[in-house]
Amino acid sequence: MHAGDHNAQLAQALLGCSYDELTPVQRSVIDLIATEAPSGLNPQLISDDRTFWQRLADTIAAVGGSWRFIFSFLGVLVAWVSWNALTGSLAFDPYPFIFLNLVMSMIAALQAPVIMMSQNRAAARDRANAEHDYVVNLRSELEIMHLHDKLDALRSDELVKLVTAQAETLDLLKTQMAALAARS
């Protein structure tokens, strides 16, 4: 049987439509079932093709979103304010801490887009992972349906054999009963 014919039959049997009507994801699942190849890992999730700047953005997002960063930054703020409030003429940023406000604004202005870039990449990886999970789940569901069909076919064959054997046994029994009745 040609591979295309087998794929078309599988598509019709499992999804109830022709192979040409399937989405690319559904076609890939039917192809995997037809070849009986394992789904494998999503290639997009295995390779790390991030640029230096993307890796840097991910690192900044990981550090900026940690408790260590929050407590460290809180320590720096307390030290900054304490030094400038308690040292009088040695203060490099006296109250109302205008330079501190400038530094914090610059950090926020730079950190927010970097974190958003990292989150966008994470969302793209999550979408790719979700699509891969969908393919694996759809394949599993279709394989289970395929196995059910095979089991039903085996059960039907066994029932036919059982009924045939039972009919032969009844015929043999009738023959023996007739022979016994003829002797008596």
Side-chain angles (χ1 to χ4, degrees):
M1 177 184 298
H2 188 267
D5 296 337
H6 184 60
N7 292 5
Q9 286 177 345
L10 279 173
Q12 191 62 44
L14 298 174
L15 296 173
C17 58
S18 72
Y19 185 80
D20 296 332
E21 296 173 8
L22 300 178
T23 65
V25 171
Q26 291 171 328
R27 283 185 188 157
S28 70
V29 171
I30 292 296
D31 294 343
L32 284 171
I33 291 172
T35 60
E36 297 180 359
S39 298
L41 296 173
N42 189 343
Q44 292 175 334
L45 302 175
I46 295 171
S47 66
D48 185 8
D49 56 353
R50 296 175 298 166
T51 65
F52 168 78
W53 297 108
Q54 291 171 333
R55 285 192 305 276
L56 181 64
D58 290 343
T59 303
I60 290 171
V63 170
S66 68
W67 284 107
R68 178 181 288 164
F69 173 79
I70 291 171
F71 290 130
S72 300
F73 195 69
L74 184 61
V76 169
L77 289 177
V78 168
W80 184 300
V81 170
S82 297
W83 174 264
N84 286 293
L86 301 175
T87 57
S89 64
L90 295 176
F92 59 89
D93 185 24
Y95 181 81
F97 313 115
I98 295 171
F99 186 56
L100 175 64
N101 284 327
L102 176 66
V103 169
M104 289 178 58
S105 296
M106 287 190 307
I107 289 172
L110 292 174
Q111 188 181 25
V114 168
I115 290 172
M116 286 192 301
M117 286 187 290
S118 179
Q119 287 176 338
N120 287 341
R121 262 190 318 287
R125 281 191 310 269
D126 289 345
R127 279 191 300 277
N129 197 16
E131 183 174 321
H132 182 260
D133 288 348
Y134 171 74
V135 167
V136 170
N137 290 340
L138 179 61
R139 179 177 180 187
S140 297
E141 185 177 347
L142 293 175
E143 286 283 356
I144 290 169
M145 289 171 53
H146 194 60
L147 286 173
H148 276 287
D149 290 343
K150 285 181 177 180
L151 284 174
D152 289 343
L154 285 173
R155 188 178 300 130
S156 294
D157 289 346
E158 287 296 317
L159 283 174
V160 166
K161 288 177 185 177
L162 184 63
V163 168
T164 303
Q166 189 177 20
E168 289 173 1
T169 304
L170 283 174
D171 288 342
L172 184 60
L173 188 59
K174 285 179 187 177
T175 305
Q176 288 179 354
M177 291 292 284
L180 280 175
R183 281 193 214 159
S184 30

